[in-house]
Amino acid sequence: MGREPMRGQTDAAEHDENLYPAARLDAAREAATRAGLDALLICPGADLRYLTGYAALPLERLTCLVLSAEREPFLVVPALEEPAAHASPAGALGIEIAAWDETEDPYALVAARLSDRIGSVGIDNHMWAEKVMAFRAALPGARQELAGGVLSELRIRKSPREAEALRQAGAAIDRVHARMSEWLRPGRTEREVARDIAEAIVAEGHVRADFVIVGSGPNGASPHHEVSDRVIEAGDPVVVDIGGTTRDGYCSDSTRTYAAGEPPEEFRRLYEVLLTAQRAQTEAVRPGITAERLDAVGREIIANGGYGKNFVHRTGHGIGLEGHEEPYIVAGNERPLEPGMAFSIEPGIYLPGRFGARIEDIVLCTEDGGERLNLTSRELAVLE
Ligand code: ZN
Ligand code: ZN
């Protein structure tokens, strides 16, 4: 699903310097030096937006933020994008915006500004391969490495202003779930319901809907199902997993499972097991608990309820300027949680061919526990 920021947004929130503080540029330069990288090359995407606030569209023409220890940061942009770059929060950072003309070679321009002694460059993880290759040719002496680790370590702890942006995103998607009875009922197809939900995602405070999953009856047993033309039947359990991106660039993501009329008896039993697990996991969030322990808290409850082999995915993923980012709440991730980390808690139980259920909240790790950013009721909602 496309998660690239839109170009040319100039709303007030983007100009809030607390959301994109200039100090991040120095923090990134220092982190790069510690990682043994002489420079960072950052093209349009979440990393560029995090560092500058500039929601540039990825294009074939090169836009690239260059950070190195030896000189001041500069942002290379195509001449025709220069006004947009200046109008973005990047224009208020006090960095040089170097425009290149249509017939110039922007890679040579970057190389000429970096010293010959550059031995290694960190390339942002989502840079297009053709740009990576062009930088390789322009900087033949520089070893290329991924910059993702350096950037994700900065992005993994949200500032108070970022936490507020995620809180607003959570409230926006909660308003959509709160309206579900307007759309979800027997006789309508998943696709019809999803279309209404996508419209509401924008109407309730996002610039776009990133995904809409409506999995009714047996389709709910497939965690990767999106939508189909299946007609929702009376008594169907329906998994609704939805998210969008707000003007600030921060993502929402919340799942609730509904029943289109009284569901089968076993579904109610399964749902109680799932709800107990998801509640226990959200309550277990605190600094110091490891990601894998948090995963296990829910997995043990679901296994004891008899559905261990039906919880087929990790518990959750981090969220911020991207819908999926560090930290991942998964077995094998021994990293202790820290205040400022934000991630989903989304256990699910899936009975192939019959039905499934998932409950998902975004949770922020605080100094002394966890704060749920999705607050709609987690009880099974039976819509008549
Ligand atoms: Zn989700
Ligand atoms: Zn999720």
Side-chain angles (χ1 to χ4, degrees):
M1 279 151 286
R3 292 181 188 278
E4 295 79 18
M6 295 164 85
R7 177 167 48 160
Q9 294 165 12
T10 54
D11 56 281
E14 275 196 300
H15 292 279
D16 182 339
E17 58 185 13
N18 289 325
L19 191 52
Y20 307 110
R24 282 180 187 166
L25 295 173
D26 285 335
R29 289 159 82 189
E30 286 159 19
T33 300
R34 281 198 301 277
L37 298 171
D38 296 326
L40 295 178
L41 304 174
I42 311 292
C43 284
D47 289 330
L48 182 66
R49 190 158 191 188
Y50 176 80
L51 291 170
T52 67
Y54 184 26
L57 197 67
L59 298 168
E60 76 285 7
R61 295 185 179 93
L62 184 73
T63 291
C64 186
L65 175 69
V66 183
L67 299 178
S68 74
E70 64 177 15
R71 59 163 300 151
E72 291 300 307
F74 60 98
L75 179 65
V76 172
V77 299
L80 73 170
E81 302 289 328
E82 192 181 3
H86 275 288
S88 83
L93 288 175
I95 61 172
E96 182 192 358
I97 295 178
W100 56 276
D101 288 322
E102 202 72 338
T103 54
E104 276 185 286
D105 176 354
Y107 301 93
L109 187 150
V110 171
R113 284 162 168 256
L114 291 174
S115 99
D116 293 340
R117 296 189 305 279
I118 289 275
S120 60
V121 289
I123 302 282
D124 92 66
N125 283 34
H126 300 291
M127 189 184 292
W128 291 4
E130 63 186 31
K131 296 187 168 66
V132 176
M133 301 305 269
F135 273 124
R136 181 171 295 179
L139 294 162
R143 186 178 71 254
Q144 293 183 333
E145 293 185 23
L146 289 175
V150 170
L151 273 302
S152 75
E153 270 312 298
L154 300 175
R155 287 170 48 190
I156 197 168
R157 286 172 220 82
K158 271 62 184 178
S159 70
R161 181 62 186 85
E162 288 184 283
E164 180 54 29
L166 283 170
R167 208 171 277 122
Q168 287 171 10
I173 208 69
D174 281 0
R175 289 193 292 273
V176 179
H177 272 299
R179 293 176 56 190
M180 202 56 60
S181 64
E182 293 178 32
W183 315 301
L184 206 172
R185 58 182 168 270
R188 302 195 77 202
T189 68
E190 293 173 356
R191 199 178 306 280
E192 288 167 342
V193 173
R195 199 176 297 138
D196 291 338
I197 292 172
E199 233 171 72
I201 288 173
V202 173
E204 296 292 352
H206 299 84
V207 290
R208 66 175 180 276
D210 291 325
F211 59 91
V212 178
I213 293 174
V214 179
S216 66
N219 289 340
S222 166
H224 283 149
H225 176 80
E226 287 193 33
V227 293
S228 75
D229 292 314
R230 183 180 183 279
V231 177
I232 296 166
E233 294 172 21
D236 272 350
V238 186
V239 176
V240 179
D241 186 351
I242 54 179
T245 300
T246 65
R247 284 185 174 177
D248 285 346
Y250 285 78
C251 299
S252 65
D253 185 1
S254 177
T255 309
R256 291 293 181 263
T257 299
Y258 300 88
E262 189 54 37
E265 196 55 39
E266 183 175 5
F267 180 78
R268 282 203 173 268
R269 202 183 90 73
L270 170 159
Y271 192 86
E272 281 311 306
V273 172
L274 179 65
L275 181 54
T276 303
Q278 204 267 358
R279 280 203 171 119
Q281 286 180 297
T282 55
E283 282 161 20
V285 173
R286 63 177 186 278
I289 189 172
T290 63
E292 66 175 1
R293 180 63 207 140
L294 189 54
D295 178 81
V297 164
R299 214 163 286 282
E300 285 160 11
I301 292 169
I302 289 172
N304 289 338
Y307 296 108
K309 66 178 191 312
N310 303 103
F311 178 13
V312 294
H313 53 72
R314 67 190 176 207
T315 286
H317 52 82
I319 190 167
L321 289 167
E322 288 176 288
H324 288 190
E325 57 183 53
E326 299 279 352
Y328 292 96
I329 311 301
V330 62
N333 184 359
E334 297 171 6
R335 182 166 189 152
L337 299 183
E338 297 170 50
M341 291 183 178
F343 44 84
S344 68
I345 298 284
E346 52 177 308
I349 300 177
Y350 310 95
L351 303 191
R354 297 178 65 194
F355 41 68
R358 183 164 64 255
I359 305 170
E360 176 181 24
D361 294 321
I362 302 304
V363 181
L364 175 72
C365 184
T366 63
E367 292 295 333
D368 54 2
E371 176 190 350
R372 284 171 57 218
L373 306 187
N374 297 107
L375 298 168
T376 57
S377 171
R378 290 176 285 186
E379 299 290 339
L380 180 65
V382 179
L383 306 175
E384 299 293 348

